[in-house]
Amino acid sequence: MSNEPQTPADPGPKGPQLDELLDGLMGWNRSFIKTLKDGVLYPERVAGAVLAQDHQTYASPVRVLIFLMGLYMTLTVFMMGSDFQSVQTFSDSSPEALDAWLTQQGSSLDEVNNVWAFWIQVLIWPITVIASLPFALLFKAYAPRRTLYGAVLVYMTTVNAMTAVQIMLTLVLAVFLDNADSMVIGLILVLFFYYYITGRVLFAHYARTLWGTLLKLFSFVLLTPVTLVITVLMQLLAFDQVMEHRFDLNVSDIIQLRGDTAP
């Protein structure tokens, strides 16, 4: 390992272009598999290509993120069932009691679940972006001369590698464990892998020494609970707004429901 960052602290990417965003949403690149493979095995190379604005070697981090997050959401619904996107996750009451209470309010559990499932799939992207912003800000803080957009793309490369490994690990664990346990254990294990690939990116492009890399990586570890709290709070806020504006329901009443009978 060298003592100097491999990538000069040039400004890097200056911002998304319309054609790049459309390509990220709808396009396909034959280097897609190479991007995933190198993102897992050589994350510093993929991050370096982003910082060098090399658009030929690897697929767009935006495109990879959208594909992997969509695949992971599909896998989650398949393995966890419809309860993953059910309002029951916000209440300790039984489904029967919750359905009876919602019927009294002029709706039904199935109707509310369908609406919430639609909106959480729409809102999961902005929630993910906002909750992840602190990590991107750390990358920006450790290289102030580089653009924030470049920091976001570098962060995406680490998330893409983590998500790809999580999907594979979850499928492997599902052979030996039930679906719910495999999802939870896969998430915990892959978190350590995320710190590992982030450390490699930091050492290659953001730090001058191994000790400096470890200190910077520790800040990512400390920030993880904060991003989890932001994610939960934003999902709760989204749920509150959907329930209020679509069904005129008070979300606190749903959360406070207990037991087998509604109040």
Side-chain angles (χ1 to χ4, degrees):
M1 292 185 175
S2 62
N3 292 327
E4 296 292 333
Q6 297 177 15
T7 304
D10 52 60
K14 296 181 179 180
Q17 302 298 317
L18 178 59
D19 58 343
E20 180 183 348
L21 290 177
L22 292 177
D23 186 52
L25 289 170
M26 299 179 291
W28 178 262
N29 191 306
R30 60 186 176 183
S31 62
F32 192 82
I33 300 300
K34 175 179 174 61
T35 304
L36 289 177
K37 177 178 70 69
D38 284 5
V40 172
L41 299 178
Y42 311 105
E44 63 277 8
R45 294 183 186 175
V46 182
V50 167
L51 293 171
Q53 304 183 67
D54 176 6
H55 305 297
Q56 302 300 320
T57 305
Y58 298 111
S60 164
V62 177
R63 179 190 310 161
V64 178
L65 178 68
I66 291 173
F67 172 77
L68 288 176
M69 292 296 286
L71 182 61
Y72 181 71
M73 286 291 294
T74 302
L75 178 66
T76 301
V77 173
F78 176 77
M79 298 187 70
M80 300 291 287
S82 58
D83 288 345
F84 171 70
Q85 297 177 327
S86 172
V87 299
Q88 292 171 237
T89 59
F90 295 93
S91 174
D92 290 334
S93 182
S94 67
E96 294 77 14
L98 182 57
D99 187 36
W101 182 81
L102 290 171
T103 300
Q104 295 176 6
Q105 312 306 313
S107 57
S108 68
L109 183 58
D110 287 340
E111 181 184 6
V112 173
N113 277 341
N114 289 336
V115 172
W116 173 238
F118 168 79
W119 280 107
I120 190 58
Q121 291 180 44
V122 171
L123 296 173
I124 191 65
W125 305 112
I127 289 176
T128 300
V129 170
I130 295 174
S132 301
L133 188 59
F135 284 123
L137 291 176
L138 274 183
F139 279 117
K140 168 65 175 174
Y142 293 144
R145 295 182 182 179
R146 295 175 183 158
T147 64
L148 177 59
Y149 180 60
V152 171
L153 291 182
V154 169
Y155 172 67
M156 284 184 181
T157 66
T158 62
V159 172
N160 290 342
M162 178 188 71
T163 307
V165 170
Q166 186 173 0
I167 290 172
M168 293 186 290
L169 184 60
T170 299
L171 291 174
V172 171
L173 289 173
V175 176
F176 306 99
L177 304 170
D178 62 53
N179 290 344
D181 287 342
S182 65
M183 293 292 295
V184 174
I185 294 176
L187 179 60
I188 295 174
L189 292 178
V190 83
L191 190 60
F192 292 96
F193 175 77
Y194 172 76
Y195 294 139
Y196 167 71
I197 60 175
T198 299
R200 289 182 60 169
V201 171
L202 288 171
F203 183 84
H205 307 294
Y206 292 88
R208 296 181 179 276
T209 64
L210 178 60
W211 179 244
T213 299
L214 293 176
L215 288 177
K216 288 179 171 63
L217 181 60
F218 186 60
S219 65
F220 280 80
V221 176
L222 291 178
L223 198 59
T224 299
V226 176
T227 61
L228 294 176
V229 170
I230 293 175
T231 301
V232 172
L233 290 178
M234 291 195 66
Q235 288 185 0
L236 185 59
L237 177 62
F239 181 67
D240 175 69
Q241 293 301 304
V242 170
M243 293 300 103
E244 179 179 351
H245 293 287
R246 180 61 177 80
F247 299 103
D248 196 25
L249 293 175
N250 190 328
V251 70
S252 63
D253 292 337
I254 297 177
I255 295 175
Q256 292 172 7
L257 289 176
R258 295 288 187 274
D260 296 326
T261 59

